[in-house]
Amino acid sequence: MQVSNVFRLEVKNILKNQWLYFSLIISVLLASALVYAIKFMQGPFTIKAISGFYGIGSTIALAIFCTKLYLDDLGSGTITLFFSSQKNRKNYLVGKLLAALLLGFLFGGVCSLVLLSSSAYLGWEIKLLEFIIEPILIYILFSIFYMLLFFLIGIFERNTNNLIIITIITVLAIPSVVERIKLEKASVIVREIINHVPIFFMVQGTKYLQLSSDKLIILSSLIVVLFMTCYYLIGKANY
């Protein structure tokens, strides 16, 4: 099984998935509702708020889609066919990684279109870096990070229902709880540490398109580590 074969198969599955289009539509509608409030109700919002409303739906949807890249094969049992040899296993990982990149590009690209059209409609200044490059880059990094993270977890936890629950808890529950603790009780040092842990800053970063250079370095380094770990462990796992 070549990398290209895995990728093409996954692209077909992604494009046929009606829930992908549903989640994108919901995300766009949420952002559009805020644009309406800004236009006709003089809401005191910025472009970051519009991306934040888009991110309400897209963030959890993208994380689940990236997890399902692996879960669907695990649940159906076809994973054993893909993993018939060491080479196939590694090609499988790379192919799924490319599929996650595509998902991130789709969600980031739609986010860019939302920001561009919203700004044109509201008469705001259009900024190339902030409205096009940042959304696509951040959503791609988000999708790759979570795909590798949950792929790694899935090597040890094979129950698909448990993996979906872990995904939702990791993306929604844990960041929300920790954010409240950080604001109410944490010391300055603890807050700074939390601010630089990817599972905490990626959710906020995706919603509000905020990813500083130090966080970009941390995330990119962790992605490399996750990929190398998955690449090594996938050859050792028994299926």
Side-chain angles (χ1 to χ4, degrees), residues 114-131:
V114 168
L115 298 184
L116 288 170
S117 58
S118 298
S119 296
Y121 180 65
L122 296 171
W124 291 353
E125 179 186 0
I126 294 177
K127 301 176 181 178
L128 177 64
L129 176 63
E130 188 175 350
F131 295 177

Side-chain angles (χ1 to χ4, degrees), residues 43-91:
F45 302 105
T46 66
I47 197 68
K48 298 294 185 183
I50 296 175
S51 68
F53 267 64
Y54 173 84
I56 291 173
S58 63
T59 300
I60 183 62
L62 181 55
I64 291 177
F65 284 130
C66 288
T67 306
K68 283 176 63 61
L69 289 174
Y70 174 66
L71 284 188
D72 289 343
D73 295 332
L74 188 64
S76 65
T78 55
I79 194 76
T80 56
L81 299 177
F82 285 114
F83 284 13
S84 57
S85 71
Q86 294 292 320
K87 182 179 179 180
N88 283 348
R89 292 181 179 208
K90 294 174 180 178
N91 287 344

Side-chain angles (χ1 to χ4, degrees), residues 86-105:
Q86 294 292 320
K87 182 179 179 180
N88 283 348
R89 292 181 179 208
K90 294 174 180 178
N91 287 344
Y92 175 88
L93 174 61
V94 175
K96 294 291 183 176
L97 183 64
L98 293 175
L101 189 152
L102 173 63
L103 279 169
F105 182 82

